[in-house]
């Protein structure tokens, strides 16, 4: 197997992981601060992608589309938080699961109603099209490199936000004691809405960026949502650092598993059998990774004990 | 209405619909009632952990699907005449419902034992995410494993056989499913009233206190989880016989969500609740589905209203008592 192929797949895994981080960061923040499990986080990803596609087809500008994806997802997140989620913070997890599952039905059908059942396609902006020669003779798509860079920048910004700013201080205070920060006069309702909208905007951004590589369609957020859950279980609930490490671990493991496992089995099985066995095992690999982490550290790599 | 009366009403309704279908010569009504009974049975399995045990499993599609694949694979091998495996013991397929049910129950129980012993080490939101993730793992496995149809699924053409009955006759098949359902609900009612059931209920309410009197909470919950997986797997096997088709969509996480919706709509921790819930869901699917192709939009809105405002579900509502689950 050529080294450039492996290097390319490592980069693809990194890009996948960085996007998973954007999804997981919002989920883990919302869980850490409000104690809410939000299954509809994948719908916010989808809303971001559709908003981007709609604005791009109307204006022709990818950058306006990207801004629209952030705005639309944040607005949808804030709206949902104010109208529904607020009533759920005091309820059990079962009610949260049910209401947010119902929200998925509403959002998915709603989008299908407006945009129709066919997938939309987003083009990569011309500025970012093409490939870049990397050392070692690998030509890698510029767009994916930019995604990696953008994702890492957002991650760094998020760390700064949480550790250095007043909002971040309140978020951390909210994680450790909700009642107390309300008692000392922080407007807890506004804080919750802000955290929810921030998480939603990150998801919407991820949706728009990934929508340009794949396609924009109803239900696109759900596989990503479940992977984000795996990331959070591995990293530990409420930990942004855990989400970053978990996301990159999942992204790289999944991508490399799909490349290497069939090749590994081909060394001692018939080619057809090897491809089938390798592919099915590769599709299970990250869940096995999750099981392993769970077995060794039930609270996740960076979490408190569950 | 007392709970007993509400349960009787559900049973009578479940019997009345296929009867009406026979009299009016509308066999699709019988099939619809069979679907309700089978989906309700899957809910009965989930209810044991969710309602009585307070464990929010969002991965019951895994057991439903494994039961389905047991039925599909055994019937497929019986039909094709290929042995299931030649080594270390020669095993063939079968078209006997009894054998298929037993294998489905055992496989569902084993899978639940495996998943449960890992996921029950955690609680709360971790438990929800982990059960969901493991179900998703099996879903992707069935999609990428080509031997039994992969993404396309596996048709089995004829229903499996039971005591020489004509299982292709809709009414006969409905009665088979109904009898299985009644037996399972009877067994579950015995379990719930037994010492084990009391302990399970106590673990849900206050695990620390249960531990302090010397009962292991983990073991109680794991046993309930295994029984629950076995029941839902049995429902999966019946579902495949109904449709004569098994596909990965049985394992998708929407299925897990739907099974949970049956339990909630019907009212948690009520024996016949999931059947009432499944009936309402199938009814909505038919009625709203005939009016608009976007029926799921309205089901979603309705579900939000039910969760926020009508906690007891149908059974809680009709018997004027609110549920104690959640």
């Amino acid at each position: 197997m050529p080294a450039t192929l492996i290097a390319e797949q490592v980069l693809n895994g990194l890009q996948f992981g960085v996007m998973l981080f954007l999804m997981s960061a919002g989920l883990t923040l919302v869980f850490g601060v409000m104690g809410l499990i939000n299954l509809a986080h994948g719908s916010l990803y989808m809303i971001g992608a559709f908003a981007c596609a709609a604005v791009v087809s109307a204006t022709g500008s990818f950058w306006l589309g990207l801004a629209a994806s952030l705005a639309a997802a944040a607005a949808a997140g804030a709206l949902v938080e104010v109208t529904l989620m607020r009533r759920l913070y005091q309820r059990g997890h079962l009610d949260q699961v049910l209401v947010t599952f119902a929200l998925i039905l509403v959002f998915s059908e709603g989008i299908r109603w407006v945009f129709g059942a066919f997938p939309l396609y987003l083009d990569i902006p011309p500025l970012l099209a093409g490939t870049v020669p990397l050392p070692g003779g690998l030509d890698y798509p510029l767009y994916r490199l930019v995604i990696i860079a953008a994702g890492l920048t957002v991650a760094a910004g998020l760390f700064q936000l949480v550790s250095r700013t007043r909002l971040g201080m309140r978020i951390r205070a909210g994680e450790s004691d909700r009642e107390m920060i309300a008692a000392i006069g922080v407007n807890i309702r506004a804080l919750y809405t802000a955290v929810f909208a921030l998480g939603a905007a990150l998801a919407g951004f991820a949706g728009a960026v990934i929508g340009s590589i794949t396609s924009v369609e109803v239900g696109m957020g759900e596989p990503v949502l479940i992977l984000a859950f795996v990331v959070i279980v591995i990293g530990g609930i409420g930990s942004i650092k855990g989400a970053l490490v978990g996301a990159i671990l999942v992204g790289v493991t999944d991508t490399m598993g799909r490349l290497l496992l069939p090749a590994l089995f081909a060394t001692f099985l018939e080619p057809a059998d090897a491809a089938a066995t390798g592919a099915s095992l590769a599709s299970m690999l990250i869940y096995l990774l999750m099981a392993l982490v769970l077995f060794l550290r039930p609270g996740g790599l960076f979490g408190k004990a569950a | 209405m007392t709970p007993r009366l509400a349960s009787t009403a559900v049973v009578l309704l479940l019997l009345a619909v296929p009867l009406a279908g026979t009299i009016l010569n509308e066999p699709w009504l019988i099939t619809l009632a069979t679907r309700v009974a089978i989906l309700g049975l899957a809910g009965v399995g989930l209810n044991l952990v969710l309602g009585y045990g307070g464990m929010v499993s969002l991965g019951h599609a895994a057991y439903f699907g494994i039961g389905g694949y047991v039925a599909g694979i055994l019937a497929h091998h019986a039909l094709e005449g290929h042995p299931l495996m030649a080594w270390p013991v020669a095993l063939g397929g079968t078209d006997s419902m009894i054998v298929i049910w037993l294998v489905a129950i055992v496989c569902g129980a084993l899978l639940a034992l495996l998943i449960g012993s890992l996921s029950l080490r955690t609680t709360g939101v971790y438990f929800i995410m982990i059960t969901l993730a493991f179900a998703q793992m099996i879903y992707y496995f069935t999609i990428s494993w080509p031997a039994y149809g992969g993404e396309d699924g596996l048709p089995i053409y004829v229903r499996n056989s039971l005591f020489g009955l004509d299982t292709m006759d809709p009414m006969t098949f409905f009665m088979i499913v109904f009898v299985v359902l009644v037996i399972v609900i009877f067994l579950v009612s015995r379990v719930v009233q037994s010492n084990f059931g009391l302990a399970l209920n106590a673990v849900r309410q206050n695990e620390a206190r249960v531990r302090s009197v010397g009962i292991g909470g983990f073991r109680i919950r794991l046993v309930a989880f295994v029984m629950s997986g076995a029941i839902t797997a049995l429902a999966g096997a019946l579902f495949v016989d109904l449709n004569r088709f098994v596909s990965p969509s049985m394992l998708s996480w929407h299925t897990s969500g739907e099974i949970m919706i049956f339990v909630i709509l019907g009212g948690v921790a009520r024996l016949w609740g999931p059947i009432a819930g499944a009936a309402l869901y199938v009814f909505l699917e038919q009625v709203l589905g005939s009016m608009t192709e976007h029926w799921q939009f309205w089901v979603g809105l309705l579900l939000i209203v039910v969760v926020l405002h009508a906690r007891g579900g149908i059974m809680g509502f009709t018997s004027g008592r609110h549920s104690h689950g959640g």
Side-chain angles (χ1 to χ4, degrees):
Chain A
M1 192 172 292
T4 49
L5 179 61
I6 295 182
E8 186 184 357
Q9 292 302 318
V10 169
L11 283 174
N12 281 350
L14 199 59
Q15 175 255 307
F16 184 32
V18 160
M19 285 297 110
L20 277 180
F21 168 72
L22 292 183
M23 279 292 280
S24 322
L27 268 179
T28 208
L29 267 182
V30 165
F31 185 80
V33 179
M34 287 97 108
L36 176 87
I37 174 167
N38 178 20
L39 298 182
H41 202 64
S43 297
L44 300 166
Y45 175 90
M46 173 180 72
I47 287 172
F50 272 92
C52 184
V55 169
V56 168
S57 76
T59 67
S61 161
F62 180 81
W63 307 107
L64 280 180
L66 208 55
S69 73
L70 284 167
L79 182 72
V80 163
E81 200 277 339
V82 170
T83 53
L84 281 178
M85 299 301 169
R86 232 168 231 193
R87 302 157 181 262
L88 292 173
Y89 298 145
Q90 301 304 323
R91 300 272 194 108
H93 290 138
L94 176 61
D95 287 3
Q96 301 176 350
V97 164
L98 288 164
V99 169
T100 54
F101 183 81
L103 263 182
I104 293 179
L105 299 182
V106 171
F107 276 132
S108 292
E109 262 332 300
I111 291 269
R112 193 173 288 141
W113 217 335
V114 176
F115 289 91
F118 295 103
L120 306 176
Y121 293 95
L122 259 173
D123 285 328
I124 295 172
L127 186 65
L128 302 179
T131 58
V132 199
L134 293 182
L138 167 68
D139 284 325
Y140 195 72
L142 173 63
Y143 185 68
R144 287 179 186 258
L145 278 184
V146 172
I147 292 182
I148 296 175
L152 292 176
T153 311
V154 171
L158 206 57
F159 279 116
Q160 289 295 315
L161 176 79
V162 172
S163 61
R164 295 285 161 81
T165 65
R166 182 162 289 269
L167 176 64
M169 208 158 70
R170 289 179 173 170
I171 289 175
R172 279 179 290 134
E175 281 179 344
S176 40
D177 197 330
R178 273 187 260 179
E179 280 80 17
M180 187 54 85
I181 75 157
I184 59 177
V186 172
N187 183 345
I188 192 100
R189 290 190 150 210
L191 175 69
Y192 285 176
T193 311
V195 169
F196 205 90
L198 173 67
L202 291 176
F205 177 71
V209 167
I210 293 302
S212 317
I213 302 182
T214 58
S215 61
V216 176
E217 57 190 324
V218 171
M220 65 188 283
E222 293 163 24
V224 189
L225 171 84
I226 295 170
L227 288 179
F229 281 164
V230 174
V231 165
I232 292 175
V233 171
I234 290 177
I237 289 178
S239 162
I240 294 187
K241 199 201 293 173
L244 183 61
V245 173
I248 289 177
L249 212 55
V250 167
V252 173
T253 306
D254 189 58
T255 315
M256 294 317 282
R258 285 174 204 283
L259 175 71
L260 297 179
L261 279 178
L264 179 71
F265 282 103
T267 55
F268 55 90
L269 284 178
E270 299 282 316
D273 289 345
T277 317
S280 5
L281 207 65
S283 69
M284 297 168 71
L285 200 59
I286 51 168
Y287 303 99
L288 298 176
L289 177 72
M290 180 188 84
L292 182 73
V293 169
L294 215 59
F295 190 72
L296 300 174
R297 288 184 65 108
L301 295 177
F302 293 91
K304 303 169 209 98
Chain B
M1 230 192 285
T2 64
R4 182 177 290 273
L5 206 61
S7 301
T8 315
V10 172
V11 177
L12 288 180
L13 192 69
L14 186 60
L15 285 171
V17 169
L19 209 63
T22 313
I23 294 168
L24 301 172
N25 199 21
E26 300 275 6
W28 63 275
L29 276 174
I30 308 175
T31 307
L32 220 55
T34 316
R35 222 166 88 86
V36 166
I38 295 173
L39 294 176
L41 180 63
V44 169
L46 178 62
N47 202 12
L48 192 60
V49 293
L50 181 74
Y52 297 99
M55 292 165 261
V56 185
S57 162
L58 193 49
H60 260 53
Y63 315 109
F64 195 59
I66 201 171
Y69 268 94
V70 164
I73 290 171
L74 287 178
H76 173 74
H77 280 280
L79 207 70
E80 302 275 311
H82 290 311
L84 195 59
M85 61 171 162
W87 185 88
V89 281
L91 267 184
T94 174
D95 68 347
S96 152
M97 281 193 190
I98 298 273
V99 177
I100 287 175
W101 294 344
L102 288 177
V103 177
I105 287 171
V106 169
C107 288
L110 284 177
L111 183 67
L113 181 67
L114 201 69
I115 294 180
S117 53
L118 270 171
S119 54
L120 285 169
R121 290 157 58 94
T122 64
T123 53
V125 64
Y126 267 103
F127 182 77
I128 299 171
M129 295 195 285
I130 290 162
T131 48
L132 171 61
F134 279 126
Q136 203 66 9
M137 172 175 92
I138 297 166
Y139 171 70
Y140 283 124
F141 177 76
T142 53
I143 282 186
S144 58
W145 184 249
Y148 297 106
E151 203 163 353
D152 300 330
L154 184 69
I156 58 172
Y157 306 110
V158 284
R159 275 199 192 124
N160 295 301
S161 57
L162 182 76
F163 307 136
L165 294 168
D166 175 17
T167 53
M168 288 302 281
D169 174 55
M171 197 61 190
T172 310
F173 188 65
F174 171 80
M175 286 315 295
I176 294 172
V177 170
F178 183 76
V179 169
V180 170
L181 178 68
V182 169
I183 292 173
V184 170
I185 288 192
F186 172 74
L187 292 176
V188 169
S189 78
R190 303 298 304 192
V191 167
V192 170
Q193 288 160 17
S194 69
N195 285 341
F196 170 79
L198 294 177
L200 180 65
N201 202 0
V203 168
R204 173 170 60 78
Q205 292 176 19
N206 191 334
E207 178 158 4
R209 203 171 283 177
V210 173
R211 263 207 305 270
S212 71
V213 296
I215 302 174
F218 178 82
R219 261 186 52 203
I220 299 276
R221 282 187 290 152
L222 185 59
V223 172
F225 199 78
V226 168
M227 288 196 276
S228 163
I231 294 172
T232 304
L234 175 62
L238 289 169
F239 194 67
V240 166
D241 246 333
L242 173 68
N243 299 322
R244 285 168 285 145
F245 178 64
V246 55
S247 78
S249 72
M250 274 180 83
L251 287 145
S252 89
W253 79 298
H254 276 268
T255 306
S256 296
E258 279 173 5
I259 298 176
M260 191 179 273
I261 290 175
F262 305 149
V263 176
I264 301 306
L265 282 183
V268 289
R270 294 178 188 276
L271 283 174
W272 288 88
I275 288 85
L280 178 62
Y281 190 83
V282 169
F283 176 76
L284 287 174
E285 183 185 62
Q286 295 295 318
V287 172
L288 291 176
S290 69
M291 291 191 287
T292 160
E293 61 174 311
H294 303 291
W295 62 275
Q296 290 205 334
F297 182 86
W298 303 107
V299 168
L301 285 186
L302 182 79
L303 185 64
I304 293 175
V305 172
V306 169
V307 174
L308 290 180
H309 299 291
R311 290 302 315 286
I314 299 170
M315 304 299 260
F317 188 70
T318 51
S319 55
R321 226 175 54 180
H322 284 287
S323 87
H324 43 70

